Structure formats: C-alpha cells, structure tokens
C-alpha cells in the first residue's frame, strides 16, 4: 500500500458534550452486487453497515442512521439519501473534508456524491415526497457485456407499446398488495401512489437497453421488481395489458408475474421539499 492509502483520516474533535442540534444528509450510490440489501442484518454484509462503520469511525461516536428507502440484496443505487442527527461542531465539517474522509473509509463499491445540512428532526425517510427507480433490460441474442451487472438480459423481444399500456394502469393511488412480497404485507398498509411509469431506450458503454422508470411516494418490498416481471409477461404477449387490472384487484401476490432479477434495478433519486436540504459548504 502507498503512503497515501495508509495515512490516517482526521476525525472530529467534539470538545465538551453538546446537544444534537442539526442534521447531516448524504447522497450516495452503491453497487449492490455483494450486499445483503441496504438494511443492517446480523452476520450479513450490508450497505447500511458499511456506512455506519465509516461515519462512526470519523465522528468517534455511535450514530442514528436513517435511509430514504431500503433496497433489497443485489439492488444498486445512484441517488440514495441517508440522514443522521449531529452536534453543532459536526455541522462545521466542510464538504471537501467529508468527501475525502468517506472516500477513504468506505469500500470501493459505495460512494458519496453529495453532503447537505437539514433542520433538526429532518428524516431522509419520512420527509421524502417521492422516490424514483429505474429497471434496465437488454433484449436479443447477444448478452450484455459491460453492462451485464446492472441489466437483466431477456432474450425474447418485448412489445414496449403493450408494456406501456399495462404500466399506465398502475398510475395513481392503488392497493399494490399483489406486487408485494407476501410476508412483508401482513398487517401493514399496502396502498401506494405511483406518479410515473414510463419506458425509454438508453445507451451506455455502446450497449442499448430498455429502461423502465417508476416514481412513487413509496414502494413495498420487491414491488418494483414484481411490477417489472409482470410487465415483461405482457411484453412477451403471454398476457394482455388489461391483465394488470385483474392483478391489482386480486390483492394476491400469486396473481402477479415473477419477480425480476435484482441486478437490473437501480434506486435513482429522492425528492424533498424545496429548501429542505442546503448544500454543505
């Protein structure tokens, strides 16, 4: 290792104890391939566990960490947000210092892209107005090469117009119990509001994919991947678009299509009220 790699990162000197009187918010991304999801789990390698370790190392204290949305094992992110209450002295840490410290303390597959201040009591989860996910699919005989870890290779052609017709039926406030992992829906509300559900062609590293973007106030466990698996059934002409209406009405996971693979899903962004976040100087 080089001298730069072994040089210790300076942590915050709190001085005398203070009340927690502000909130730090981080925008981050991660390659979810090796993680057992975002949420911490005993004996598992998780995104939240790595972030907590890095922040507690830098701040030299235990923290209370809140995320905008928990992602499943293997799911990626470019616009996840996490918040934590902090002391006044910790709010004085500059953005450049945070970026240097976290680049050194986090593993190579997790990266912070933004640092913000928010009012005391702000929550990355409960103050979120909407969340956006994109699921990427590659079709055709040739598998993706450079994008293979972030796309689902589906050999059969897909009727995008039919899939869009089916996706339009998900818009608005609905009961999405049919699109939720059964065990996680027991005794919990399953109504959500979908504000956008659209398909578009994208190119990355010379490879083309079909990108399905969905935006909603919140999402249930495995909801987006189950929606994608259901829409692909329509795109393959195994089902008609109107079938989605029947799936919604059934309120039964068995009525929907299969769950699409985790690797194609990416948590893209979170929307907050204007002025809720202030860029860290």
């Amino acid at each position: 290792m080089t001298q730069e790699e072994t040089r210790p990162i300076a942590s915050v000197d709190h001085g005398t104890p203070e009340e927690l009187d502000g909130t730090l918010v981080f925008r981050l991304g991660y390659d979810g391939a090796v993680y057992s999801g975002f949420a911490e789990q005993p004996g598992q390698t998780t995104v939240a566990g790595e972030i907590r370790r890095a922040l507690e190392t830098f701040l030299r204290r235990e923290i209370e960490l809140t995320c905008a949305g928990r992602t499943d094992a293997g799911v990626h992110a470019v616009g996840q947000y996490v918040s934590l209450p902090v002391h006044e002295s910790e709010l004085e840490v500059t953005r450049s210092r945070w970026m240097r410290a976290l680049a050194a303390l986090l593993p190579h597959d997790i990266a912070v892209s933004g640092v913000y201040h928010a009012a005391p009591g702000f929550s990355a989860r409960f103050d979120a107005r909407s969340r956006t996910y994109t699921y990427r699919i590659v079709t055709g005989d040739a598998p993706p090469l450079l994008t293979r870890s972030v796309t689902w290779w589906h050999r059969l052609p897909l009727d995008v117009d039919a899939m869009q017709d089916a996706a339009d039926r998900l818009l608005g406030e609905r009961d999405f119990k049919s699109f939720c992992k059964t065990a996680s829906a027991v005794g919990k509300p399953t109504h959500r509001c979908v504000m956008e559900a659209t398909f578009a062609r994208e190119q990355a590293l010379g490879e083309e994919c079909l990108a399905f973007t969905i935006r909603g106030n919140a999402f249930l466990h495995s909801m987006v991947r189950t929606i994608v698996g259901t829409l692909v059934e329509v795109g393959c002409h195994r089902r008609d678009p109107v079938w989605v209406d029947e799936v919604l009405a059934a309120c039964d996971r068995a009525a929907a299509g299969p769950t699409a693979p985790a690797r194609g899903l990416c948590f893209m962004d979170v929307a907050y009220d204007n002025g809720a976040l202030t860029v860290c100087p």
Side-chain angles (χ1 to χ4, degrees), residues 216-277:
N217 63 340
F219 293 92
L220 301 167
H221 190 184
S222 296
M223 176 175 158
V224 178
R225 290 196 288 138
T226 306
I227 286 175
V228 171
T230 300
L231 296 179
V232 165
E233 291 291 292
V234 174
C236 291
H237 293 160
R238 287 191 282 262
R239 298 281 191 168
D240 292 326
V242 71
W243 171 59
V244 171
D245 295 331
E246 300 171 12
V247 173
L248 284 166
C251 292
D252 182 353
R253 175 62 187 88
T259 303
R263 65 180 177 275
L265 183 59
C266 188
F267 188 6
M268 299 299 293
D269 201 10
V270 186
Y272 296 103
D273 287 340
N274 288 337
L277 303 181

Side-chain angles (χ1 to χ4, degrees), residues 49-64:
E50 294 298 324
I51 296 168
R52 178 183 297 278
R53 179 192 59 78
L55 290 171
E56 290 185 345
T57 297
F58 183 73
L59 295 173
R60 295 191 298 178
R61 66 173 178 87
E62 294 183 351
I63 63 168
E64 180 183 341

Side-chain angles (χ1 to χ4, degrees), residues 7-265:
R7 188 172 62 199
I9 299 298
S11 57
V12 174
D13 182 5
H14 298 307
T16 58
E18 301 170 277
E19 293 296 324
L20 296 175
D21 45 17
T23 306
L24 270 173
V25 182
F26 297 94
R27 185 180 191 270
L28 56 99
Y30 44 87
D31 179 339
V34 302
Y35 295 102
S36 300
F38 183 90
E40 293 185 69
Q41 305 171 53
Q44 301 293 320
T45 301
T46 66
V47 178
E50 294 298 324
I51 296 168
R52 178 183 297 278
R53 179 192 59 78
L55 290 171
E56 290 185 345
T57 297
F58 183 73
L59 295 173
R60 295 191 298 178
R61 66 173 178 87
E62 294 183 351
I63 63 168
E64 180 183 341
L65 190 67
T66 302
C67 71
R70 296 180 177 183
T71 52
D72 294 337
V75 174
H76 315 293
V78 295
Q80 171 74 274
Y81 284 75
V82 299
S83 59
L84 64 150
V86 292
H87 299 281
E88 183 177 356
S89 62
E90 293 163 345
L91 289 171
E92 296 172 359
V93 178
T94 64
R95 178 187 181 278
S96 61
R97 188 178 174 196
W98 274 117
M99 298 297 284
R100 289 196 305 271
L102 292 175
L105 293 169
L106 287 169
H108 72 280
D109 47 13
I110 303 176
V112 169
S113 58
V115 187
Y116 306 91
H117 293 165
F122 174 89
S123 167
R125 177 186 177 190
F126 294 109
D127 286 303
R129 299 307 179 203
S130 68
R131 298 155 174 88
T132 300
Y133 287 83
T134 296
Y135 195 99
R136 294 174 172 88
I137 305 170
V138 172
T139 59
D141 295 333
L145 179 61
L146 299 180
T147 61
R148 64 188 179 278
S149 63
V150 293
T151 57
W152 175 20
W153 178 35
H154 189 276
R155 293 175 178 82
L156 298 177
L158 295 172
D159 183 339
V160 179
D161 289 338
M163 294 170 74
Q164 185 62 65
D165 185 351
D168 289 342
R169 299 168 187 272
L170 301 171
L171 296 175
E173 185 169 341
R174 313 275 187 177
D175 188 340
F176 285 95
K177 188 174 183 179
S178 293
F179 297 93
C180 176
K181 190 172 183 179
T182 303
S184 66
V186 176
K188 297 179 181 178
T190 51
H191 281 76
R192 297 292 186 270
C193 181
V194 171
M195 307 159 187
E196 176 188 355
T198 57
F199 287 92
R201 294 286 179 183
E202 288 186 355
Q203 279 228 349
L205 300 172
E207 298 178 337
E208 185 178 277
C209 70
L210 178 63
F212 171 66
T213 296
I214 185 166
R215 179 170 58 92
N217 63 340
F219 293 92
L220 301 167
H221 190 184
S222 296
M223 176 175 158
V224 178
R225 290 196 288 138
T226 306
I227 286 175
V228 171
T230 300
L231 296 179
V232 165
E233 291 291 292
V234 174
C236 291
H237 293 160
R238 287 191 282 262
R239 298 281 191 168
D240 292 326
V242 71
W243 171 59
V244 171
D245 295 331
E246 300 171 12
V247 173
L248 284 166
C251 292
D252 182 353
R253 175 62 187 88
T259 303
R263 65 180 177 275
L265 183 59

